[in-house]
Amino acid sequence: EGIHFDLSYTPLIHLGYRCVIAAISDIYAMNGRPEQILISLALSSKITVEFMEEVYQGVMVACKNYGLDLIGGDTTSSRSGLVINVTAIGKAAKDKIVYRSGAKVNDLLVVTGDLGGSYMGLQILEREKRVFLEHPEAQPKLAEYDYILKRHLRPEARKDIIPLLDDLKILPTSMMDISDGLSSECLHIARQSDVGIVVYEEKIPLDPQTYKVGRSLGIDGTTAALNGGEDYELLFTVPQAEHSKLENHPDFTIIGYVQDKSDGNIMISKGGNTYPLKAQGWKHF
Amino acid sequence: EGIHFDLSYTPLIHLGYRCVIAAISDIYAMNGRPEQILISLALSSKITVEFMEEVYQGVMVACKNYGLDLIGGDTTSSRSGLVINVTAIGKAAKDKIVYRSGAKVNDLLVVTGDLGGSYMGLQILEREKRVFLEHPEAQPKLAEYDYILKRHLRPEARKDIIPLLDDLKILPTSMMDISDGLSSECLHIARQSDVGIVVYEEKIPLDPQTYKVGRSLGIDGTTAALNGGEDYELLFTVPQAEHSKLENHPDFTIIGYVQDKSDGNIMISKGGNTYPLKAQGWKHF
């Protein structure tokens, strides 16, 4: 609480859902399938039974949607604030587990879905919170932001991608999920694979709503994609030979490639300039 | 922090150790063997890298002592206070898993080791903290309390009991570990097994140091055993037929028996009076 979520605008049922998604997303990102979860809670005295029942409703819906068994956990009290910890257990075929460390020079860099939406949804929620604090009688205007709000409040993990890669006979050389922003994840793969990463700004997939809201708020969509997070899309590298399978596939976008470590981690802007990729912290809620 | 531990008198290396013990103790209590652990941390800004390294040293020593692999976890920030969550994964033979729900009328009630030491150690630490706050120049006098301090600050899980029961060809009908106090655990077994529990006060095993310190502090040793906690001993029930195997065994004490649910959960005092067993909360640190 106060780090990954703000209870003032996070519906409790979504909070439970989102905590499960964040945990299982890491297992999909290893080309595995989550099977069980354990939940531990530290509760402050202000937390009621009804409150926790709502959180658990969200957890149970996530378990249903993703075929998970809730097999245990722990509960304790907390001096201040709510803490939720989810442990996910899953399985992967031994010869198909994908790590962050296998990217090779000349591999293609690929991302699923679109990026930056969760961050942009958060900006809207924070703006509405400020408006509400100043004008408690105001009605929130959220209808036109449905996609990005859902991206933030109730994200999904890309469980569909794992069988899809299998059908396409693609085994990524490295993979991870985008929970801290594209820049940060690229740098993780680069460091652990001992390579450099090139990202083309113009290739980064943004939803039209993300782009539009970004313009109205004065936030660059690229910045949201690079430094936002919690999109829970998958980022992976594959050999060049897989290009034709991915090129026009609606679920995938090729956004760059892997280069020699000595050439660094860079983004090539729409204008053709080169910028270093940097991981920038951001507030998660 | 502030619930299960007080950083002002918990050495960090012991804190890491103790968190692992608390988690794996539950697996031994199901007649299983823990194999892997995952640790999640929420850290406030006052927590330094050196601080966490010390905590992890304790974790690694526990992993070594108990044959565990540390296979994952998560780290996040916390608005206030340190939160540590340990998930333990283990295995048990399918036909030898012991639950809390299998106790039968006339079964013997058995406990390992001695009780109340952890609670008494905590009282000494709290007293020394008060002394220190009033007289910062005073040297703590802790040498004579070595056993109970160790029971509190660096408890062990009874991994030795699992193969021992196996050697003795004893399969408990129910079992759990004593983390919240003997009373509370008896009531858990009673409720989940749909039975009543009888405890003889005079049979409750106390270490001489627990008894002696209790006298000097004006705390009854029985109270410490019943309502203290974090002794991480095992409490279990077995059929009467196992009496001879347990009767004079140094690791076990028969402290009571299982009766019909309608006869309730009671303690028979040294003076022969009957008292209802009650679970009383206590501060864990």
Side-chain angles (χ1 to χ4, degrees):
Chain A
E1 180 181 353
I3 305 295
H4 282 97
F5 54 90
D6 179 333
L7 287 177
S8 66
Y9 53 67
T10 306
L12 299 176
I13 189 166
H14 291 169
L15 178 59
Y17 197 88
R18 185 149 73 103
C19 289
V20 176
I21 295 306
I24 63 176
S25 178
D26 282 317
I27 292 183
Y28 294 122
M30 295 185 77
N31 208 27
R33 285 173 175 80
E35 297 186 345
Q36 287 117 11
I37 58 167
L38 300 99
I39 298 202
S40 296
L41 302 168
L43 308 172
S44 65
S45 54
K46 73 174 175 183
I47 307 280
T48 64
V49 172
E50 292 72 23
F51 180 109
M52 286 319 304
E53 279 173 351
E54 264 195 73
V55 173
Y56 268 100
Q57 267 182 36
V59 168
M60 296 320 293
V61 174
C63 285
K64 189 162 166 285
N65 290 356
Y66 289 86
L68 308 168
D69 289 320
L70 174 60
I71 59 164
D74 199 6
T75 309
T76 182
S77 38
S78 149
R79 274 194 312 192
S80 81
L82 170 64
V83 183
I84 305 180
N85 183 78
V86 181
T87 301
I89 302 173
K91 281 191 185 147
K94 215 168 191 172
D95 56 341
K96 291 192 174 175
I97 299 181
V98 179
Y99 298 93
R100 298 174 182 181
S101 54
K104 300 275 177 291
V105 172
N106 293 328
D107 278 356
L108 302 172
L109 183 71
V110 185
V111 72
T112 63
D114 60 82
L115 303 180
S118 176
Y119 181 80
M120 220 57 98
L122 170 63
Q123 303 313 312
I124 292 297
L125 288 167
E126 296 210 318
R127 186 182 68 176
E128 291 303 314
K129 183 181 177 181
R130 287 192 300 271
V131 169
F132 176 78
L133 291 175
E134 285 164 28
H135 308 286
E137 76 293 351
Q139 289 297 313
K141 301 189 195 81
L142 298 174
E144 63 189 291
Y145 307 117
D146 58 336
Y147 178 72
I148 57 174
L149 291 176
K150 185 161 184 300
R151 291 292 281 177
H152 183 71
L153 292 174
R154 189 178 159 139
E156 301 288 352
R158 296 305 306 256
K159 77 167 174 170
D160 55 320
I161 298 299
I162 308 312
L164 181 56
L165 289 171
D166 213 42
D167 289 348
L168 292 169
K169 302 202 189 318
I170 292 176
L171 184 65
T173 51
S174 71
M175 183 154 59
M176 69 182 295
D177 69 332
I178 300 183
S179 53
D180 292 335
L182 179 62
S183 274
S184 166
E185 321 309 6
C186 284
L187 294 175
H188 277 295
I189 287 180
R191 189 169 55 244
Q192 292 184 45
S193 298
D194 213 30
V195 297
I197 297 274
V198 181
V199 173
Y200 291 99
E201 180 184 12
E202 65 178 349
K203 301 289 189 188
I204 297 172
L206 302 179
D207 184 83
Q209 199 171 88
T210 302
Y211 179 77
K212 193 180 145 202
V213 171
R215 281 192 63 129
S216 78
L217 295 176
I219 298 171
D220 186 40
T222 304
T223 305
L226 288 173
N227 303 324
E230 304 200 333
D231 287 315
Y232 299 110
E233 296 293 344
L234 296 174
L235 174 72
F236 59 91
T237 56
V238 291
Q240 292 261 0
E242 310 290 17
H243 187 274
S244 61
K245 298 179 190 169
L246 295 163
E247 194 181 8
N248 292 309
H249 198 291
D251 285 311
F252 302 112
T253 310
I254 301 171
I255 59 166
Y257 63 93
V258 180
Q259 64 182 1
D260 195 83
K261 186 186 181 181
S262 61
D263 296 323
N265 299 298
I266 58 173
M267 183 180 75
I268 297 171
S269 76
K270 289 171 189 167
N273 294 314
T274 296
Y275 299 94
L277 280 176
K278 281 185 196 161
Q280 295 179 357
W282 71 298
K283 246 181 17 164
H284 282 269
F285 66 76
Chain B
E1 179 179 353
I3 305 294
H4 283 96
F5 54 90
D6 179 334
L7 286 177
S8 67
Y9 53 67
T10 306
L12 300 176
I13 190 166
H14 291 169
L15 179 59
Y17 197 87
R18 184 149 74 102
C19 290
V20 176
I21 295 305
I24 63 175
S25 178
D26 281 317
I27 292 184
Y28 293 122
M30 296 185 77
N31 208 26
R33 285 174 173 80
E35 297 186 345
Q36 287 117 11
I37 58 168
L38 300 98
I39 298 203
S40 296
L41 302 167
L43 308 171
S44 65
S45 54
K46 73 174 178 186
I47 307 282
T48 63
V49 172
E50 292 71 24
F51 180 109
M52 286 318 306
E53 279 173 351
E54 264 195 73
V55 173
Y56 267 101
Q57 266 182 38
V59 168
M60 296 320 292
V61 174
C63 285
K64 189 163 166 283
N65 290 357
Y66 289 85
L68 309 168
D69 289 320
L70 174 60
I71 60 163
D74 199 5
T75 309
T76 182
S77 38
S78 149
R79 274 196 311 192
S80 81
L82 169 65
V83 183
I84 305 180
N85 184 76
V86 181
T87 301
I89 301 172
K91 280 192 187 148
K94 215 167 191 173
D95 55 343
K96 292 193 173 173
I97 299 181
V98 178
Y99 298 94
R100 298 173 182 182
S101 54
K104 300 275 177 291
V105 172
N106 293 329
D107 278 356
L108 302 172
L109 183 71
V110 185
V111 71
T112 62
D114 60 83
L115 302 181
S118 177
Y119 181 79
M120 220 58 98
L122 171 63
Q123 304 312 312
I124 292 297
L125 288 168
E126 295 209 320
R127 186 182 69 175
E128 291 302 314
K129 184 181 177 180
R130 286 192 300 271
V131 168
F132 176 78
L133 290 174
E134 285 164 27
H135 307 284
E137 75 293 351
Q139 288 297 313
K141 300 189 195 82
L142 299 174
E144 63 188 291
Y145 307 117
D146 57 338
Y147 178 72
I148 58 173
L149 290 176
K150 184 160 184 299
R151 291 292 280 178
H152 183 71
L153 291 174
R154 189 177 159 141
E156 300 289 352
R158 295 307 304 257
K159 76 167 175 171
D160 55 320
I161 298 299
I162 308 312
L164 181 56
L165 289 171
D166 213 43
D167 288 349
L168 292 169
K169 301 199 191 320
I170 293 176
L171 184 65
T173 51
S174 71
M175 183 153 60
M176 68 183 294
D177 69 331
I178 301 183
S179 53
D180 291 337
L182 179 61
S183 275
S184 167
E185 320 308 7
C186 284
L187 294 175
H188 276 296
I189 287 179
R191 189 169 55 244
Q192 291 184 45
S193 298
D194 213 29
V195 297
I197 297 272
V198 181
V199 173
Y200 291 99
E201 180 184 11
E202 66 179 347
K203 301 290 189 188
I204 297 172
L206 301 179
D207 184 84
Q209 199 172 87
T210 303
Y211 180 77
K212 193 179 147 204
V213 171
R215 281 193 64 130
S216 78
L217 295 177
I219 298 171
D220 186 41
T222 304
T223 304
L226 288 173
N227 303 324
E230 304 200 332
D231 287 314
Y232 299 110
E233 296 293 344
L234 295 174
L235 175 72
F236 59 93
T237 56
V238 291
Q240 292 262 1
E242 310 291 17
H243 187 273
S244 62
K245 297 180 191 170
L246 296 163
E247 195 180 7
N248 292 309
H249 198 291
D251 285 313
F252 302 112
T253 310
I254 301 171
I255 60 167
Y257 63 93
V258 179
Q259 64 182 1
D260 195 83
K261 187 186 178 181
S262 62
D263 296 323
N265 299 297
I266 58 173
M267 184 181 76
I268 297 170
S269 76
K270 287 171 190 167
N273 294 314
T274 296
Y275 298 94
L277 279 176
K278 282 185 194 161
Q280 295 179 356
W282 71 298
K283 246 182 15 164
H284 283 269
F285 65 76

